[in-house]
Amino acid sequence: MPMIRIDVTEGRAPEELGKLSRAIHIAVVEEYCIPEGDYFHVITEHPRGQVVALDAGLGFERSDAVVMVQIFTQRGRSGEAKSALFAAIARELQGVGVAGEDVFIGYMENGAEDWSFGFGRAQYSTGELAIPSSREA
Protein backbone atom coordinates (compact mmCIF):
# COMPACT_ATOMS: atom_id res chain seq x y z
CA MET A 1 0.00 0.00 0.00
CA PRO A 2 2.53 2.61 -1.01
CA MET A 3 1.64 6.27 -1.07
CA ILE A 4 3.30 7.97 -4.02
CA ARG A 5 4.08 11.61 -4.73
CA ILE A 6 4.85 12.63 -8.30
CA ASP A 7 6.46 16.02 -8.90
CA VAL A 8 6.77 17.52 -12.38
CA THR A 9 7.28 20.88 -14.03
CA GLU A 10 3.96 22.37 -15.08
CA GLY A 11 2.81 22.22 -18.67
CA ARG A 12 1.67 18.64 -19.13
CA ALA A 13 -1.92 17.95 -20.15
CA PRO A 14 -4.18 16.33 -17.53
CA GLU A 15 -4.29 13.16 -19.65
CA GLU A 16 -0.49 12.96 -19.63
CA LEU A 17 -0.40 13.38 -15.85
CA GLY A 18 -2.89 10.55 -15.58
CA LYS A 19 -0.71 8.35 -17.80
CA LEU A 20 2.34 9.06 -15.61
CA SER A 21 0.43 8.10 -12.48
CA ARG A 22 -1.04 5.00 -14.07
CA ALA A 23 2.35 3.84 -15.40
CA ILE A 24 3.87 4.09 -11.93
CA HIS A 25 0.89 2.30 -10.40
CA ILE A 26 1.16 -0.55 -12.92
CA ALA A 27 4.83 -1.04 -11.96
CA VAL A 28 4.03 -1.08 -8.22
CA VAL A 29 1.13 -3.52 -8.64
CA GLU A 30 3.23 -5.86 -10.76
CA GLU A 31 6.41 -5.78 -8.67
CA TYR A 32 4.92 -5.67 -5.18
CA CYS A 33 1.77 -7.71 -5.87
CA ILE A 34 -0.46 -5.14 -4.18
CA PRO A 35 -4.18 -4.95 -4.95
CA GLU A 36 -5.10 -2.77 -7.92
CA GLY A 37 -7.30 -0.67 -5.62
CA ASP A 38 -4.39 0.33 -3.37
CA TYR A 39 -3.88 3.47 -5.42
CA PHE A 40 -2.73 6.53 -3.46
CA HIS A 41 -0.98 9.17 -5.61
CA VAL A 42 -0.47 12.91 -5.27
CA ILE A 43 0.63 14.71 -8.43
CA THR A 44 2.10 18.18 -8.00
CA GLU A 45 3.03 20.52 -10.81
CA HIS A 46 5.66 23.17 -10.16
CA PRO A 47 6.53 26.35 -12.09
CA ARG A 48 9.54 26.08 -14.41
CA GLY A 49 12.74 26.34 -12.41
CA GLN A 50 11.27 24.89 -9.21
CA VAL A 51 12.12 21.27 -9.95
CA VAL A 52 15.88 20.77 -9.79
CA ALA A 53 17.37 17.35 -10.46
CA LEU A 54 21.01 17.32 -11.49
CA ASP A 55 22.84 14.15 -12.49
CA ALA A 56 24.63 13.64 -9.13
CA GLY A 57 27.91 13.25 -11.05
CA LEU A 58 26.73 10.40 -13.26
CA GLY A 59 27.47 12.25 -16.48
CA PHE A 60 24.07 12.79 -18.05
CA GLU A 61 21.66 15.69 -18.35
CA ARG A 62 18.01 15.73 -17.48
CA SER A 63 15.41 17.67 -19.43
CA ASP A 64 12.59 19.83 -18.10
CA ALA A 65 10.45 16.70 -18.38
CA VAL A 66 11.96 15.14 -15.24
CA VAL A 67 9.53 13.08 -13.16
CA MET A 68 10.42 12.93 -9.48
CA VAL A 69 8.77 10.02 -7.68
CA GLN A 70 8.65 9.64 -3.91
CA ILE A 71 7.47 6.28 -2.60
CA PHE A 72 6.32 5.98 1.01
CA THR A 73 5.80 2.36 2.08
CA GLN A 74 6.20 -0.05 4.94
CA ARG A 75 9.65 -1.43 5.62
CA GLY A 76 10.60 -4.98 4.89
CA ARG A 77 11.43 -5.30 1.22
CA SER A 78 14.84 -6.40 0.02
CA GLY A 79 17.25 -4.26 -1.96
CA GLU A 80 16.60 -6.54 -4.92
CA ALA A 81 12.84 -5.92 -4.71
CA LYS A 82 13.40 -2.17 -4.58
CA SER A 83 15.78 -2.28 -7.57
CA ALA A 84 13.25 -4.31 -9.54
CA LEU A 85 10.58 -1.72 -8.72
CA PHE A 86 12.84 1.14 -9.85
CA ALA A 87 13.48 -0.64 -13.15
CA ALA A 88 9.78 -1.37 -13.65
CA ILE A 89 8.85 2.27 -12.99
CA ALA A 90 11.45 3.47 -15.50
CA ARG A 91 10.22 0.94 -18.07
CA GLU A 92 6.56 1.88 -17.62
CA LEU A 93 7.35 5.61 -17.73
CA GLN A 94 9.38 5.10 -20.91
CA GLY A 95 6.21 3.62 -22.38
CA VAL A 96 4.45 6.96 -21.87
CA GLY A 97 7.33 9.04 -23.23
CA VAL A 98 9.59 9.73 -20.24
CA ALA A 99 13.30 9.21 -20.94
CA GLY A 100 15.26 7.11 -18.48
CA GLU A 101 17.46 10.02 -17.44
CA ASP A 102 14.32 11.95 -16.50
CA VAL A 103 13.18 9.40 -13.90
CA PHE A 104 14.26 10.21 -10.32
CA ILE A 105 12.98 7.99 -7.48
CA GLY A 106 13.24 8.38 -3.71
CA TYR A 107 12.09 5.56 -1.42
CA MET A 108 11.07 6.08 2.20
CA GLU A 109 10.13 3.27 4.57
CA ASN A 110 8.09 3.30 7.75
CA GLY A 111 6.01 0.96 9.92
CA ALA A 112 2.39 -0.08 10.25
CA GLU A 113 1.92 2.38 13.12
CA ASP A 114 2.75 5.27 10.78
CA TRP A 115 -0.44 5.09 8.69
CA SER A 116 -3.97 6.45 9.11
CA PHE A 117 -6.52 5.84 6.36
CA GLY A 118 -9.16 8.12 7.85
CA PHE A 119 -11.00 9.20 10.97
CA GLY A 120 -7.71 9.86 12.76
CA ARG A 121 -7.18 6.19 13.58
CA ALA A 122 -4.12 4.07 12.90
CA GLN A 123 -6.10 1.23 11.32
CA TYR A 124 -3.18 -1.20 11.19
CA SER A 125 -2.55 -0.64 14.90
CA THR A 126 -6.23 -0.89 15.86
CA GLY A 127 -6.71 -4.07 13.82
CA GLU A 128 -9.25 -2.48 11.44
CA LEU A 129 -6.86 -3.37 8.61
CA ALA A 130 -4.62 -6.40 8.44
CA ILE A 131 -0.94 -5.50 8.35
CA PRO A 132 0.34 -6.45 4.88
CA SER A 133 3.09 -9.00 4.57
CA SER A 134 6.45 -7.61 3.46
CA ARG A 135 5.53 -8.68 -0.10
CA GLU A 136 2.42 -6.41 0.03
CA ALA A 137 3.57 -3.60 2.37
Side-chain angles (χ1 to χ4, degrees), residues 48-85:
R48 194 158 306 285
Q50 289 190 5
V51 175
V52 179
L54 301 180
D55 71 354
L58 295 171
F60 59 85
E61 291 187 31
R62 298 184 202 276
S63 75
D64 286 341
V66 66
V67 177
M68 298 187 86
V69 180
Q70 297 176 44
I71 301 168
F72 301 86
T73 191
Q74 290 191 44
R75 67 182 72 85
R77 292 195 177 86
S78 69
E80 293 82 12
K82 293 172 193 177
S83 291
L85 177 62

Side-chain angles (χ1 to χ4, degrees), residues 18-62:
K19 287 179 182 179
L20 295 175
S21 173
R22 188 76 190 134
I24 294 166
H25 186 63
I26 288 168
V28 174
V29 167
E30 289 177 359
E31 288 301 319
Y32 281 5
C33 298
I34 65 166
E36 175 70 31
D38 281 0
Y39 197 157
F40 304 95
H41 289 196
V42 176
I43 303 170
T44 305
E45 292 183 281
H46 302 273
R48 194 158 306 285
Q50 289 190 5
V51 175
V52 179
L54 301 180
D55 71 354
L58 295 171
F60 59 85
E61 291 187 31
R62 298 184 202 276

